[in-house]
Amino acid sequence: MAVAELYAQYNRVWIPDPEEVWKSAEIAKDYRAGDRVLRLLLEDGMELEYPVDPGSLPPLRNPDILVGENDLTALSYLHEPAVLHNLRIRFAESKLIYTYSGIILVAMNPYKQLPIYGDAIIHAYSGQNMGDMDPHIFAVAEEAYKQMARNNRNQSIIVSGESGAGKTVSARYAMRYFATVSKSSSNAHVEDKVLASNPITEAVGNAKTTRNDNSSRFGKYTEISFDERNQIIGANMRTYLLEKSRVVFQSENERNYHIFYQLCASAQQSEFKHLKLGSAEEFNYTRMGGNTVIEGVNDRADMVETQKTFTLLGFKKDFQMDVFKILAAILHLGNVQVTTVGNERSSVSEDDSHLKVFCELLGLETSKVAQWLCNRKIVTSSETVVKPMTRPQAINARDALAKKIYAHLFDFIVEQINQALHFSGKQHTFIGVLDIYGFETFDVNSFEQFCINYANEKLQQQFNLHVFKLEQEEYMKEDIPWTLIDFYDNQPVIDLIEAKMGILELLDEECLLPHGTDENWLQKLYNNFVNKNSLFEKPRMSNSSFIIQHFADKVEYQCEGFLEKNRDTVYDMLVEILRASKFHLCAAFFQESPVPSSPFGAMITVKSAKQVIKPNTKHFRTTVGNKFRSSLYLLMETLNATTPHYVRCIKPNDEKMPFEFDSKRIVQQLRACGVLETIRISAQSYPSRWTYLEFYSRYGILMTQQELSLSDKKEVCKVVLHRLIQDSNQYQFGRTKIFFRAGQVAYLEKLRLDKLRQDCIMIQKHVRGWLQRRKFLRERQAALTIQRYFRGQQTVRKAITATALKEAWAAIILQKYCRGYLVRNLYQLIRVATITIQAHTRGFLARRRYRKLLQEHKAVILQKYARAWLARRRFQNIRRFVLNIQLTYRVQRLQKKLEDQNRENHGLVEKLTSLAALRVGDLEKVQKLEAELEKAATHRHSYEEKGRRYRDTVEERLSKLQKHNAELELQRERAEQMLQEKSEELKEKMDKLTRQLFDDVQKEEQQRLVLEKGFELKTQAYEKQIESLREEIKALKDERSQLHHQLEEGQVTSDRLKGEVARLSKQAKTISEFEKEIELLQAQKIDVEKHVQSQKREMRERMSEVTKQLLESYDIEDVRSRLSVEDLEHLNEDGELWFAYEGLKKATRVLESHFQSQKDCYEKEIEGLNFKVVHLSQEINHLQKLFREETDINESIRHEVTRLTSENMMIPDFKQQISELERQKQDLESRLKEQAEKIEGFS
């Protein structure tokens, strides 16, 4: 049959449409070979001339008989518009969400709860063949279960699709089906545990995205194990490529993983208060997306459900709390603030509240965590360098740590679930349910999308090979000549990604380089694949991305972040800190251990159906890409060793509207998930297949009488087909089926429709004639009937008389009275019986009510006494608890008072320091006397008068020094007296506090107020003392400034020595007198030093005495003796005496340790004073040495003056001597200045 015959008038075709993708149109005029246009009539009545050429005619539309088929491969015309239209009819009009496409179940997400998943539906599908009932996820699950039971062969159900398409729900329903139809007779409730693993994995692995409120952010392969009786005995789970970046970053209108929000919603519960959490808006890791709630979702109720499933799987409260503790620590880590210090540094404050909580929850050292969050250690062959990080680098290190902790926690939870679902017996067979992400392409595609699409390439290859294999098996089974079918082989794309020197290997190689960057890796890709591999392209307008031609579509990947995500590294110092954690679970996460063997290795023997390129095992073991490639390789081996069943989930629209059909989005997903590829493979061979019986039943109308007379129906079908379709290449006869090329079933339908149209016209002609004859006969019969009844009525009226009417009336009256009498008798009998029954019933009810009231009264009495006993016991417990709290509080108050007393003692030490400062003032005054001596040596005029004035001045100043020493002595005595008073006062306070601890239990508030007032008064007194000390310090500073002023005046007067050297000869006789005065001053200075040392020894002795008195002031026996018998009896009630005694012992130990530390402090301060005294003595000796040197210089000057006097005639010699003396004088002045500066530096 020519192709042009199919494009006849009234047939319908599909034409492209920008809105609906494909639009239906009816052919208005027969198409003939060579025509350039095709006249079409659109559904809205508009005519269209569609340009065509013989090689690209528009696809034909299937006959109405085939519209809405539950299997897409049953369509006569297998192409994209036919598939799309069939899905629209089933989903949007018939509200059917499941459709077969050969071996694939296409599942459309209805975004609405449907009543098609109950136990009744499960039992309806149980035991049925796959084609006997409507398409359903239960039908696929039943087919897998039946093949496993019949063939003893492992099965797999592969569920894939976009985010929001319903993958997780479909996988959950499949697992629920297995749990229902294969319930075991044991009490282990293995089925419930298998189903309970879903809420836990959804809580820690699912999150809200812009496309789905409950999107799985990881791939999951759940292996359900069965025994020889085909009953569930356990399960195991494998996960793939968790989206760790979601822990630290979410896009707008997205959320982090559900478990974080469940934990924040339950933060105010008592069991979670120690985690110090708040609302989700308070944490950086949960508020990035903006909206922290999902409409219609109660996070607190979900948290309760999560805890229930934890408990159902056998996880104890301690285990759950450990998990929640790590989750809370991650939230607090996200709130740790990193500040910028300069251009190349950053810092984290150790006082950061969230950092403290993070370290407290995980048992870490706050200082180390704060240090290594902002620094990294670089180890080379020769040295180890600590390099500071900038703020962005520190934030990245913090986020990497959070992602690493969450990834370990996720793997740990999955491992614990596997242990909970582990079985001790032998596995006979298993069914694996693979819930994995579908092909993804976004505006910005990164490393995650690359891995996801790589996994889909592998799954698509496995799918193509499986479909091809099924086609081949079907043809061989029917003895159909096998011809090679051309189908898309995506092995080149897989080789581009995983082969040697492929994209993944180049990525791992770049990750090993210390200075590897995304740009260098991308440049390597350009050099290796651009213009060398047709599947790899470089974008024209970008140098930071690359394009890969996948089986579904071209995808452009941004190279930024590929290396960092592939490395997935955390700095070694942070790992060592976590490895040394006091929290056992956190420490176990980071312990170095060998890579565990696969949990599936001991259960199955996997033999790949096709030679698969094994990943390189020599290098790159630690990268994410290598791990993912290895796990994917193991997954493909597992799938190849099982019989796969495919479920492709489709997202009908992006607005999540129920039963809304978006053609563009659906076509995009059909192309990506392989449905159209399956149809294309089927269309290349013989897509339409009918059994001989079905063909005979359907097209018997096209057979002639001679053909129908044959007894063999198979021969009849062959004869009819040879007559109707002359081209024998358009069909093939198999053993049980007839195989048709694409379009032949539609042609047969057209012939059948034409035959039916002709037969219908003939039938209509005969039927309409028969109906008219029947109508005439019915009207004729009705007329005869009316005549008969009319004639009968006339005859009856003539036969009725008055007597007959009276007799009939009398009989009716007699019947009325008789029947009334009988009814009244029956009513009376029933009434008496009813009253009797009511009396007995009411008596029974009254007696029962009385007994019930009596029982309730007795129960109330018992409850009264029981509640009273419980209330008394609760009161006693509360009173005991309150007394313990009071005792603890008082011990704390006592410790606080001891700390206050320690501060008072420090004040006394400060006063001792002030005394040492006064000593320094004495030394400064001695220096002042030395300056006065220099000043007196320079005076030439009236030396004797100045000498007498100088002696008077010295005597006056000595008297002032003596007075000042006397004042210092008085101050010292006052300080000792004050120290003694404070010690006595401390002893009195200790006695008072001890008495208050045991005697004033009921007057605690009044005592607290009194103590607070006393403390305020003492604080004021201490403040006044501090003010007085500050004034004394100020006065000493003023005196020091005066001494400096006098030194400056002495320097001014020393400048006048240059003109007075000639008169030194006249004053040589007075030098001896000055030497005597200097010796006298030195003697006085020695006396002052001895006096100071004696004062120091006395002070040391008194301080030791005070310390001993403080240590001996607290006597436990004395305290016990002060307690009365009544107090002891009162304290002994309910064991309070023992608690009080224990508290007293603790307080005693605290006091002893405090006094010991106070004593040590005093001794250290005394040693410090001794050191200062020794230092001052050394300075005095140094000054004495300077005085001796000055005396020697004066003596030499005297000799020189004598010599100059004897040789006054020798003027040149005299001038020379004068110049030498001037030089010596300058040297002396410079030395004196240096010594003065040194003395000032010491002071």
Side-chain angles (χ1 to χ4, degrees):
M1 183 185 62
V3 176
E5 296 181 14
L6 297 176
Y7 290 86
Q9 187 179 7
Y10 305 119
N11 284 349
R12 288 173 293 179
V13 295
W14 295 102
I15 59 175
D17 182 72
E19 297 295 331
E20 296 294 331
V21 185
W22 295 97
K23 184 167 58 175
S24 177
E26 184 178 325
I27 301 176
K29 183 181 178 181
D30 291 345
Y31 172 77
R32 297 179 180 179
D35 290 348
R36 293 297 180 182
V37 294
L38 185 64
R39 295 185 178 275
L40 302 176
L41 181 65
L42 302 180
E43 292 182 346
D44 56 3
M46 185 177 69
E47 293 186 357
L48 174 68
E49 290 188 355
Y50 187 75
V52 296
D53 58 71
S56 61
L57 291 172
L60 289 165
R61 180 170 170 175
N62 284 293
D64 292 339
I65 186 64
L66 299 178
V67 174
E69 279 285 338
N70 58 12
D71 192 343
L72 297 177
T73 58
L75 300 176
S76 178
Y77 298 115
L78 282 176
H79 42 60
E80 184 178 291
V83 172
L84 191 64
H85 180 64
N86 197 73
L87 290 176
R88 180 189 291 110
I89 295 298
R90 288 183 61 82
F91 180 72
E93 297 182 11
S94 302
K95 301 295 186 291
L96 300 173
I97 66 173
Y98 293 112
T99 305
Y100 292 131
S101 177
I103 62 172
I104 301 175
L105 175 68
V106 180
M108 309 280 284
N109 192 344
Y111 291 115
K112 183 180 179 181
Q113 292 292 335
L114 299 179
I116 58 173
Y117 301 105
D119 290 341
I121 304 296
I122 292 177
H123 293 302
Y125 277 90
S126 178
Q128 300 293 327
N129 292 323
M130 192 167 179
D132 293 345
M133 300 185 70
D134 289 337
H136 201 287
I137 185 66
F138 291 160
V140 177
E142 170 61 25
E143 183 69 16
Y145 183 74
K146 187 164 52 178
Q147 289 190 23
M148 179 196 69
R150 182 175 60 241
N151 303 329
N152 291 328
R153 180 175 172 81
N154 300 324
Q155 310 289 313
S156 291
I157 297 179
I158 303 173
V159 185
S160 64
E162 278 193 5
S163 177
K167 303 186 299 297
T168 302
V169 176
S170 298
R172 189 190 307 158
Y173 282 137
M175 294 171 65
R176 179 179 161 214
Y177 183 87
F178 297 138
T180 303
V181 301
S182 62
K183 278 190 176 293
S184 61
S185 58
S186 64
N187 296 325
H189 303 291
V190 180
E191 304 86 4
D192 297 336
K193 291 183 178 180
V194 171
L195 296 179
S197 64
N198 288 323
I200 297 177
T201 55
E202 288 181 16
V204 298
N206 287 26
K208 176 190 174 184
T209 64
T210 54
R211 297 185 177 183
N212 185 11
D213 290 344
N214 187 32
S215 175
S216 298
R217 308 316 300 162
F218 67 103
K220 179 176 66 173
Y221 184 75
T222 305
E223 186 181 274
I224 305 173
S225 302
F226 297 85
D227 58 9
E228 294 180 352
R229 296 177 297 175
N230 300 318
Q231 294 179 347
I232 293 179
I233 58 174
N236 211 326
M237 188 187 308
R238 246 188 294 180
T239 59
Y240 305 93
L241 200 65
L242 174 69
E243 187 184 9
K244 293 181 286 187
S245 60
R246 181 166 294 272
V247 177
V248 300
F249 175 77
Q250 307 94 45
S251 300
E252 188 176 358
N253 294 327
E254 293 191 355
R255 295 205 319 173
N256 208 323
Y257 291 105
H258 295 326
I259 190 66
F260 289 114
Y261 300 92
Q262 295 176 10
L263 199 59
C264 290
S266 308
Q268 300 305 319
Q269 297 182 11
S270 57
E271 56 182 323
F272 298 118
K273 284 188 176 180
H274 70 284
L275 302 179
K276 300 179 182 179
L277 293 173
S279 62
E281 289 81 1
E282 299 177 13
F283 295 97
N284 293 332
Y285 285 166
T286 53
R287 66 188 178 195
M288 287 185 182
N291 191 4
T292 60
V293 295
I294 303 176
E295 184 178 356
V297 175
N298 187 342
D299 290 320
R300 182 174 295 181
D302 290 346
M303 185 63 179
V304 175
E305 185 65 23
T306 301
Q307 290 180 287
K308 287 182 180 179
T309 53
F310 268 123
T311 305
L312 181 60
L313 287 173
F315 300 144
K316 297 181 180 179
K317 290 289 184 181
D318 294 341
F319 171 83
Q320 299 178 32
M321 199 52 61
D322 288 345
V323 172
F324 298 148
K325 190 183 295 185
I326 292 179
L327 292 170
I330 293 173
L331 291 179
H332 285 291
L333 178 60
N335 277 23
V336 173
Q337 297 297 322
V338 181
T339 57
T340 302
V341 180
N343 296 329
E344 301 294 332
R345 293 178 178 270
S346 60
S347 67
V348 174
S349 175
E350 294 185 15
D351 297 330
D352 192 307
S353 58
H354 291 284
L355 179 63
K356 290 182 178 179
V357 176
F358 170 75
C359 296
E360 178 184 346
L361 292 176
L362 298 187
L364 307 175
E365 294 185 20
T366 306
S367 59
K368 289 186 177 180
V369 175
Q371 176 188 1
W372 293 109
L373 278 177
C374 302
N375 297 277
R376 58 176 296 192
K377 181 185 289 187
I378 301 175
V379 180
T380 63
S381 58
S382 59
E383 59 179 352
T384 300
V385 180
V386 176
K387 181 181 179 182
M389 294 188 290
T390 62
R391 184 175 183 272
Q393 292 174 341
I395 292 176
N396 290 337
R398 180 197 68 187
D399 294 343
L401 181 62
K403 291 188 291 185
K404 194 72 172 179
I405 294 173
Y406 191 82
H408 281 301
L409 178 63
F410 180 82
D411 295 338
F412 173 72
I413 292 175
V414 172
E415 180 183 355
Q416 294 300 313
I417 292 175
N418 288 336
Q419 291 182 4
L421 300 178
H422 184 68
F423 54 93
S424 58
K426 182 180 180 182
Q427 180 194 56
H428 181 62
T429 52
F430 72 82
I431 297 178
V433 180
L434 178 64
D435 175 9
I436 198 164
Y437 15 66
F439 184 83
E440 287 188 356
T441 173
F442 300 113
D443 294 336
V444 178
N445 301 285
S446 187
F447 181 74
E448 292 83 2
Q449 283 71 40
F450 178 78
C451 292
I452 288 171
N453 294 339
Y454 166 49
N456 278 273
E457 289 285 357
K458 298 286 287 186
L459 290 173
Q460 182 66 22
Q461 183 188 48
Q462 191 269 347
F463 169 75
N464 289 342
L465 293 175
H466 183 69
V467 171
F468 183 81
K469 181 180 178 181
L470 289 180
E471 287 285 321
Q472 183 180 8
E473 289 178 353
E474 180 75 10
Y475 289 179
M476 294 176 65
K477 178 181 177 183
E478 294 291 333
D479 287 338
I480 300 297
W482 174 249
T483 56
L484 183 63
I485 298 175
D486 182 23
F487 67 96
Y488 175 74
D489 186 8
N490 60 346
Q491 184 62 41
V493 182
I494 297 174
D495 292 339
L496 172 66
I497 297 173
E498 71 175 11
K500 187 175 182 180
M501 297 305 292
I503 294 176
L504 280 179
E505 186 164 327
L506 290 175
L507 180 63
D508 292 341
E509 178 182 306
E510 189 68 21
C511 289
L512 288 178
L513 301 178
H515 301 289
T517 62
D518 296 323
E519 292 75 14
N520 293 341
W521 170 67
L522 183 62
Q523 193 59 42
K524 290 181 180 178
L525 296 184
Y526 290 162
N527 296 336
N528 286 0
F529 302 121
V530 172
N531 299 327
K532 299 179 182 178
N533 193 319
S534 60
L535 301 175
F536 185 93
E537 299 178 11
K538 178 183 180 299
R540 293 182 180 179
M541 306 301 293
S542 175
N543 291 324
S544 61
S545 60
F546 60 93
I547 298 175
I548 295 179
Q549 175 65 58
H550 289 284
F551 73 93
D553 199 0
K554 285 186 178 181
V555 182
E556 181 175 350
Y557 298 98
Q558 295 293 330
C559 72
E560 183 180 359
F562 262 72
L563 259 68
E564 187 64 29
K565 293 176 181 178
N566 189 46
R567 285 174 179 148
D568 190 28
T569 55
V570 179
Y571 293 131
D572 294 339
M573 289 308 301
L574 292 175
V575 173
E576 291 179 5
I577 292 172
L578 292 172
R579 191 175 294 157
S581 170
K582 298 178 182 178
F583 183 34
H584 65 93
L585 190 57
C586 178
F589 284 169
F590 294 91
Q591 294 300 323
E592 297 180 356
S593 57
V595 178
S597 60
S598 170
F600 299 87
M603 300 179 185
I604 59 174
T605 302
V606 178
K607 183 178 181 181
S608 176
K610 178 181 179 295
Q611 186 66 28
V612 182
I613 300 176
K614 292 187 178 181
N616 189 3
T617 59
K618 295 182 180 179
H619 305 290
F620 319 135
R621 272 297 186 186
T622 58
T623 61
V624 173
N626 186 265
K627 291 179 181 178
F628 183 68
R629 179 168 53 179
S630 300
S631 60
L632 190 60
Y633 171 73
L634 180 60
L635 173 64
M636 298 312 300
E637 282 192 332
T638 304
L639 295 180
N640 290 331
T642 62
T643 302
H645 305 265
Y646 299 94
V647 179
R648 296 293 191 252
C649 298
I650 304 296
K651 186 177 182 180
N653 59 81
D654 290 330
E655 291 76 23
K656 304 175 184 177
M657 299 294 294
F659 291 105
E660 288 291 330
F661 194 88
D662 187 348
S663 300
K664 290 183 178 179
R665 291 286 290 116
I666 292 174
V667 165
Q668 180 185 6
Q669 295 173 73
L670 290 175
R671 293 168 181 168
C673 68
V675 173
L676 296 181
E677 182 68 18
T678 308
I679 293 172
R680 194 182 65 81
I681 293 175
S682 299
Q684 287 185 357
S685 54
Y686 298 94
S688 301
R689 299 162 193 182
W690 295 68
T691 63
Y692 287 101
L693 182 60
E694 291 173 345
F695 183 85
Y696 186 87
S697 301
R698 179 69 180 172
Y699 300 108
I701 193 172
L702 299 177
M703 302 175 185
T704 62
Q705 288 290 26
Q706 183 179 359
E707 292 169 346
L708 290 174
S709 62
L710 298 176
S711 59
D712 189 357
K713 294 182 179 180
K714 188 174 181 180
E715 281 298 322
V716 172
C717 294
K718 291 182 178 180
V719 172
V720 170
L721 276 176
H722 284 307
R723 179 173 58 83
L724 296 177
I725 304 175
Q726 279 73 26
D727 188 0
S728 61
N729 191 37
Q730 300 298 319
Y731 58 86
Q732 289 288 344
F733 296 103
R735 290 183 176 181
T736 60
K737 296 179 183 179
I738 305 174
F739 292 74
F740 294 96
R741 295 279 187 188
Q744 300 308 307
V745 174
Y747 174 70
L748 292 175
E749 286 293 323
K750 178 179 178 298
L751 296 178
R752 182 175 178 274
L753 187 61
D754 293 341
K755 179 68 174 175
L756 287 175
R757 186 180 293 110
Q758 295 174 2
D759 293 343
C760 283
I761 293 173
M762 183 63 69
I763 292 171
Q764 287 174 356
K765 179 182 72 172
H766 290 284
V767 169
R768 286 169 181 167
W770 175 78
L771 288 175
Q772 291 298 326
R773 286 191 298 274
R774 185 178 177 183
K775 180 181 178 182
F776 169 75
L777 292 174
R778 190 165 57 248
E779 290 176 352
R780 181 174 177 272
Q781 183 67 28
L784 293 174
T785 302
I786 292 172
Q787 290 175 357
R788 183 170 66 248
Y789 276 100
F790 179 75
R791 291 167 182 167
Q793 184 69 21
Q794 287 181 342
T795 304
V796 170
R797 286 181 178 177
K798 293 179 180 179
I800 295 175
T801 62
T803 304
L805 290 174
K806 290 181 180 178
E807 290 177 353
W809 183 253
I812 290 171
I813 292 173
L814 289 173
Q815 289 176 355
K816 178 182 70 174
Y817 284 104
C818 179
R819 288 170 181 167
Y821 172 74
L822 292 175
V823 170
R824 282 192 296 275
N825 286 341
L826 180 61
Y827 167 73
Q828 292 293 336
L829 181 63
I830 293 173
R831 181 174 178 275
V832 171
T834 302
I835 292 171
T836 304
I837 292 170
Q838 287 178 348
H840 286 283
T841 302
R842 289 168 179 164
F844 171 73
L845 292 175
R847 287 189 295 274
R848 188 171 66 179
R849 193 180 303 112
Y850 169 74
R851 287 194 296 272
K852 184 176 180 182
L853 290 174
L854 187 62
Q855 291 175 356
E856 289 179 352
H857 180 66
K858 292 179 180 179
V860 168
I861 294 173
L862 291 174
Q863 289 175 354
K864 178 181 71 175
Y865 285 103
R867 288 170 179 166
W869 178 78
L870 291 172
R872 285 192 299 274
R873 190 174 69 174
R874 186 162 54 252
F875 169 74
Q876 291 173 359
N877 292 334
I878 291 172
R879 185 176 63 180
R880 185 183 301 111
F881 181 69
V882 168
L883 289 174
N884 291 336
I885 291 175
Q886 289 176 349
L887 182 60
T888 305
Y889 174 73
R890 286 170 184 155
V891 170
Q892 292 176 354
R893 292 288 297 175
L894 183 59
Q895 292 176 354
K896 185 176 180 181
K897 291 179 188 295
L898 289 174
E899 292 175 357
D900 294 340
Q901 191 62 36
N902 191 13
R903 286 195 290 270
E904 293 176 6
N905 294 335
H906 281 297
L908 294 176
V909 173
E910 290 178 357
K911 287 190 175 183
L912 291 175
T913 307
S914 66
L915 292 176
L918 290 176
R919 170 62 182 163
V920 173
D922 292 340
L923 294 176
E924 291 178 353
K925 289 179 181 180
V926 172
Q927 294 175 2
K928 182 179 179 181
L929 291 175
E930 294 172 359
E932 290 296 329
L933 287 174
E934 292 178 359
K935 183 178 180 181
T938 60
H939 289 296
R940 299 191 310 262
H941 302 289
S942 32
Y943 179 78
E944 293 178 353
E945 293 177 0
K946 289 181 181 180
R948 286 194 298 272
R949 291 175 186 174
Y950 181 76
R951 283 194 295 271
D952 295 338
T953 304
V954 170
E955 290 176 359
E956 183 180 358
R957 295 199 176 211
L958 287 174
S959 62
K960 287 181 180 180
L961 285 174
Q962 291 176 356
K963 290 180 181 180
H964 191 64
N965 289 332
E967 290 176 359
L968 290 176
E969 183 67 20
L970 291 174
Q971 288 180 1
R972 184 180 59 75
E973 292 176 356
R974 289 175 186 172
E976 293 175 354
Q977 185 178 359
M978 188 179 294
L979 182 61
Q980 186 174 2
E981 290 175 357
K982 293 297 181 182
S983 301
E984 293 176 356
E985 185 180 358
L986 177 62
K987 182 177 180 181
E988 292 175 358
K989 287 180 181 178
M990 293 299 297
D991 295 337
K992 184 178 179 181
L993 289 173
T994 307
R995 289 194 299 271
Q996 288 175 354
L997 182 62
F998 296 100
D999 297 340
D1000 300 334
V1001 176
Q1002 299 178 352
K1003 300 177 181 179
E1004 181 180 355
E1005 287 298 323
Q1006 296 178 0
Q1007 290 177 356
R1008 185 175 60 80
L1009 293 175
V1010 171
L1011 290 174
E1012 286 179 354
K1013 290 180 180 179
F1015 180 73
E1016 290 177 358
L1017 293 175
K1018 291 174 185 177
T1019 304
Q1020 293 175 359
Y1022 293 155
E1023 289 177 353
K1024 291 179 181 179
Q1025 291 177 3
I1026 291 169
E1027 289 296 331
S1028 63
L1029 290 173
R1030 287 176 179 173
E1031 291 176 357
E1032 291 178 2
I1033 292 170
K1034 185 176 181 182
L1036 290 172
K1037 288 181 178 179
D1038 294 339
E1039 187 175 357
R1040 181 181 176 184
S1041 63
Q1042 292 176 1
L1043 291 173
H1044 279 292
H1045 182 67
Q1046 292 176 0
L1047 284 173
E1048 290 175 358
E1049 290 178 354
Q1051 290 177 0
V1052 171
T1053 55
S1054 64
D1055 294 336
R1056 301 174 183 175
L1057 289 174
K1058 293 181 180 180
E1060 297 177 358
V1061 175
R1063 301 180 183 180
L1064 287 176
S1065 60
K1066 297 179 181 180
Q1067 299 174 358
K1069 296 179 181 180
T1070 59
I1071 292 176
S1072 59
E1073 296 178 0
F1074 283 112
E1075 290 177 352
K1076 292 179 181 179
E1077 290 177 0
I1078 289 170
E1079 290 176 358
L1080 179 61
L1081 290 174
Q1082 289 178 352
Q1084 290 177 357
K1085 183 180 68 173
I1086 293 170
D1087 294 336
V1088 171
E1089 289 177 355
K1090 291 181 179 179
H1091 184 65
V1092 170
Q1093 290 179 357
S1094 63
Q1095 287 181 351
K1096 182 185 68 175
R1097 286 194 295 272
E1098 291 175 0
M1099 189 179 296
R1100 185 184 300 173
E1101 293 174 357
R1102 289 182 182 179
M1103 290 298 293
S1104 61
E1105 290 177 1
V1106 169
T1107 305
K1108 291 180 180 179
Q1109 289 176 2
L1110 288 174
L1111 291 173
E1112 296 172 357
S1113 62
Y1114 186 74
D1115 191 359
I1116 299 175
E1117 298 298 331
D1118 186 20
V1119 175
R1120 290 181 179 175
S1121 65
R1122 294 176 186 175
L1123 292 175
S1124 62
V1125 179
E1126 291 79 9
D1127 295 333
L1128 292 175
E1129 292 176 354
H1130 177 69
L1131 288 173
N1132 198 27
E1133 183 179 359
D1134 294 329
E1136 282 89 353
L1137 182 59
W1138 171 255
F1139 290 111
Y1141 176 67
E1142 291 293 330
L1144 182 60
K1145 288 200 296 184
K1146 292 180 181 179
T1148 303
R1149 289 194 294 270
V1150 169
L1151 289 172
E1152 288 177 354
S1153 62
H1154 177 72
F1155 287 145
Q1156 184 63 33
S1157 63
Q1158 198 172 28
K1159 178 183 176 183
D1160 296 339
C1161 182
Y1162 285 156
E1163 289 179 352
K1164 290 179 180 178
E1165 290 173 352
I1166 291 170
E1167 290 177 358
L1169 290 174
N1170 290 333
F1171 176 79
K1172 289 181 179 179
V1173 171
V1174 172
H1175 183 65
L1176 290 174
S1177 300
Q1178 292 176 356
E1179 288 184 354
I1180 291 170
N1181 293 331
H1182 185 64
L1183 288 174
Q1184 289 176 357
K1185 183 178 180 181
L1186 290 177
F1187 289 149
R1188 287 194 296 271
E1189 289 177 358
E1190 186 178 3
T1191 304
D1192 295 338
I1193 291 170
N1194 291 333
E1195 185 67 25
S1196 63
I1197 291 171
R1198 187 174 60 82
H1199 289 297
E1200 288 296 330
V1201 171
T1202 305
R1203 188 173 62 80
L1204 288 172
T1205 305
S1206 61
E1207 299 178 357
N1208 52 5
M1209 297 301 292
M1210 300 175 66
I1211 295 173
D1213 295 336
F1214 181 75
K1215 290 182 179 180
Q1216 186 178 2
Q1217 291 295 330
I1218 289 172
S1219 62
E1220 290 179 358
L1221 288 173
E1222 287 177 352
R1223 183 174 54 77
Q1224 291 178 2
K1225 174 179 170 297
Q1226 290 175 359
D1227 295 337
L1228 177 61
E1229 288 175 352
S1230 62
R1231 293 178 63 184
L1232 287 173
K1233 287 180 181 180
E1234 290 175 359
Q1235 294 301 326
E1237 289 174 358
K1238 291 182 179 179
I1239 292 170
E1240 287 180 358
F1242 287 123
S1243 61

